[in-house]
Amino acid sequence: MFKNKLAILGAFIVGGLILTAIFAEMLAPYNPLEQNIAQGLRAPNTAHWCGQDKLGRDLFSRIIYGSRISLWVGISTVSISLVIGLAIGSISGFYGGWIDELFMRTVDILMAFPGILLAIAMVAVLGPGLNHVILALCLIGWVGYARLVRAQVLYLRELEYVTAAHALGATPARIIIQHLLPNLIAPVIVEATFGMAGAILAEASLSFLGLGAQPPTPSWGSMLNEGRQFLLLAPHHTTFPGLAIMLVVLGFNFLGDGLRDFLDVKKV
């Protein structure tokens, strides 16, 4: 793991995001909601490292607090999607038959729609808001985990130790929980790492469209939207939030690649 420099870089970026979100009050030099309209759109300087937005709010402080929104959406979406995907994928792969057909056809239907468009449609129906964004992302997020878990269970259920558990009288629930799930956790962890990057990017996209976190809540996507009209006059308004999104997504992708190589049992 330590030989993969990009994975180490990704781990540092992700660790930095987590620490920034936890200690936002200590790290932010200003109140992210404090306005100073007289200094609106001021360029970066020694007092305001990332400049100020159109209302004179400190962009550096807003980016720091925006990390909480991104991390919360990522963790919530991945956690809920993972639980649903593990349950449906393991049951579908273990039992097969009409249960498998029902679940997998549902997965096929959901995957037929572009994920971001389905999320936009759902949030548009429910109304803008962070909780609705998480709900919309979970609606489409679990299908990838379900397909991955089902494929792993189809392979694992044919192995000798599962047959031995059957012969010893173990119940299906015991086999799934104690014998199958622990042996498919490695690819699920990798998928969850990439899922964090996708969820953060999706939240930024929905907030950019005005469907995510509502003003004055600091969100990286909404900052991009607010600075869009001042792109030539004050490019810092979009540059720094965009760099934050890019850096975090790259960090999770680098970490996911490293974990995929590290947890690949075929290379052991």
Side-chain angles (χ1 to χ4, degrees):
M1 183 71 176
F2 289 100
K3 295 179 181 178
N4 190 330
K5 300 296 191 298
L6 291 179
I8 298 301
L9 176 61
F12 274 113
I13 293 174
V14 173
L17 171 68
I18 296 172
L19 292 176
T20 299
I22 293 174
F23 300 106
E25 289 91 349
M26 299 173 59
L27 296 175
Y30 299 95
N31 186 330
L33 304 181
E34 182 180 354
Q35 300 182 12
N36 188 351
I37 299 179
Q39 297 183 2
L41 300 179
R42 180 159 296 186
N45 52 63
T46 55
H48 301 276
W49 296 349
C50 296
Q52 294 166 269
D53 65 5
K54 63 180 181 180
L55 298 178
R57 296 172 296 194
D58 181 60
L59 277 176
F60 181 66
S61 299
R62 289 181 63 79
I63 289 173
I64 289 177
Y65 274 86
S67 65
R68 287 184 166 180
I69 300 294
S70 297
L71 191 62
W72 171 247
V73 171
I75 292 175
S76 301
T77 301
V78 169
S79 299
I80 298 173
S81 301
L82 183 58
V83 170
I84 298 174
L86 279 172
I88 292 179
S90 57
I91 293 173
S92 178
F94 186 80
Y95 287 101
W98 67 270
I99 296 178
D100 185 34
E101 285 293 324
L102 175 63
F103 285 145
M104 289 303 104
R105 297 300 74 78
T106 303
V107 168
D108 291 339
I109 292 172
L110 290 175
M111 294 191 70
F113 297 93
I116 191 65
L117 292 182
L118 191 60
I120 290 173
M122 186 172 179
V123 175
V125 171
L126 297 175
L130 200 59
N131 291 332
H132 293 165
V133 167
I134 295 173
L135 182 61
L137 295 179
C138 290
L139 175 66
I140 59 177
W142 65 270
V143 296
Y145 299 102
R147 287 172 62 92
L148 174 64
V149 171
R150 173 183 176 270
Q152 293 293 317
V153 170
L154 287 175
Y155 165 72
L156 293 173
R157 72 177 186 179
E158 304 298 331
L159 298 181
E160 289 79 2
Y161 67 88
V162 177
T163 304
H166 271 297
L168 291 172
T171 62
R174 182 183 179 90
I175 293 174
I176 291 174
I177 295 174
Q178 293 194 3
H179 299 285
L180 295 182
L181 291 183
N183 287 284
L184 56 83
I185 200 66
V188 170
I189 291 175
V190 176
E191 182 70 15
T193 306
F194 290 120
M196 286 286 295
I200 290 173
L201 192 59
E203 183 276 327
S205 302
L206 292 173
S207 294
F208 178 82
L209 297 174
L211 300 174
Q214 297 301 294
T217 304
S219 169
W220 294 344
S222 61
M223 289 183 215
L224 289 176
N225 185 36
E226 292 168 0
R228 181 168 48 114
Q229 55 185 320
F230 308 110
L231 193 59
L232 298 179
L233 178 63
H236 66 274
H237 202 320
T238 54
T239 299
F240 291 107
L243 286 174
I245 297 171
M246 181 192 72
L247 188 64
V248 169
V249 172
L250 277 177
F252 277 106
N253 283 326
F254 288 157
L255 181 60
D257 284 333
L259 288 175
R260 181 176 56 190
D261 295 337
F262 178 71
L263 297 174
D264 188 358
V265 295
K266 295 179 182 179
K267 295 185 177 182
V268 177

